[in-house]
Amino acid sequence: MTTARDIRLVVLDMAGTTVADGGLVEQAFAAAAQRLDADPETMLDHVRATMGESKISVFRHLFGEETKAQDANRAFEEAYAELVDGGSVEALPGAREAIEELTAQGRTVVLTTGFARTTQDAILAALGWQDLVPLTLCPADAGGRGRPYPDLVLTAFLRTAAADDVRQVAVVGDTSYDVLTGVRAGAGLVAGVRTGAHGDEAFRAAGATHVLDSVAALPALLMGAR
């Protein structure tokens, strides 16, 4: 049986888990809807219900046509990048310290997102996190499928070779989609954090093994603290 101390690879979500974006996701979706003459309220209702899912998957569901979905995704990414450039993104309290402590414990940390690579890189640059972890992944890096598929976690597992077994992997995020991704990948520890979109009930329903107040509590958990 895998224990917290056995975890070798930690896969962390970004927005809502390690990064505070002040509702920028919804703002960017609203901007994309305006550019495409779509109903922002209808779009935002679906966005809130599927927070954590790959953004292109959300647009495919909303528009049903690949060309329009791609157009919407580009509009979203452009709007989000403009907001990031405006200084509206910051690390969640204790997030960087937690990542550094996990690394000091000898674990490999990978940051994942449902955003496109350009947006992910913009966030990392805004935070000064370009060299914080050895690997960052977006859906395109995993063959195009983001959450709730297990691909991002399994890609991290394969690329880092940090763990011998998927049960030595921890997956942490702020949405039920993050949790479901970890469960589907067979991760030994799957935790939801209360700093983002979803709460305890959604985490437990998706199969979380743990629920934490924030990612700052993760290093102590993996060292066996109660």
Side-chain angles (χ1 to χ4, degrees), residues 148-189:
Y149 298 102
D151 302 28
L152 284 168
V153 176
L154 296 177
T155 298
F157 174 76
L158 292 170
R159 288 202 188 178
T160 63
D164 299 324
D165 189 307
V166 290
R167 290 171 294 183
Q168 294 175 321
V169 178
V171 177
V172 182
D174 68 298
T175 73
S176 59
Y177 285 89
D178 294 298
V179 171
L180 187 55
T181 292
V183 171
R184 288 178 170 178
L189 187 150

Side-chain angles (χ1 to χ4, degrees), residues 91-112:
L92 278 163
R96 182 182 183 118
E97 293 80 0
I99 293 169
E100 291 174 338
E101 187 173 348
L102 291 167
T103 301
Q105 291 173 1
R107 309 182 207 274
T108 298
V109 180
V110 174
L111 293 172
T112 66

Side-chain angles (χ1 to χ4, degrees), residues 71-154:
D71 288 345
N73 193 58
R74 277 191 293 273
F76 167 83
E77 298 287 350
E78 289 169 4
Y80 195 93
E82 289 172 6
L83 292 164
V84 170
D85 289 342
S88 299
V89 65
E90 61 184 4
L92 278 163
R96 182 182 183 118
E97 293 80 0
I99 293 169
E100 291 174 338
E101 187 173 348
L102 291 167
T103 301
Q105 291 173 1
R107 309 182 207 274
T108 298
V109 180
V110 174
L111 293 172
T112 66
T113 185
F115 295 134
R117 167 55 61 184
T118 53
T119 304
Q120 185 177 37
D121 286 345
I123 295 170
L124 293 169
L127 297 174
W129 282 13
Q130 298 96 321
D131 300 316
L132 184 59
V133 299
L135 180 65
T136 62
L137 296 172
C138 67
D141 299 319
R145 295 201 313 180
R147 308 179 190 103
Y149 298 102
D151 302 28
L152 284 168
V153 176
L154 296 177

Side-chain angles (χ1 to χ4, degrees), residues 37-53:
D37 294 323
D39 178 15
E41 283 307 312
T42 299
M43 181 179 286
L44 285 173
D45 285 344
H46 181 72
V47 168
R48 293 180 185 118
T50 59
M51 196 67 76
E53 187 177 355

Side-chain angles (χ1 to χ4, degrees), residues 3-24:
T3 67
R5 289 178 179 270
D6 294 325
I7 297 299
R8 308 306 309 153
L9 172 63
V10 182
V11 180
L12 300 177
D13 170 52
M14 292 181 64
T17 303
T18 55
V19 179
D21 68 3
L24 296 194

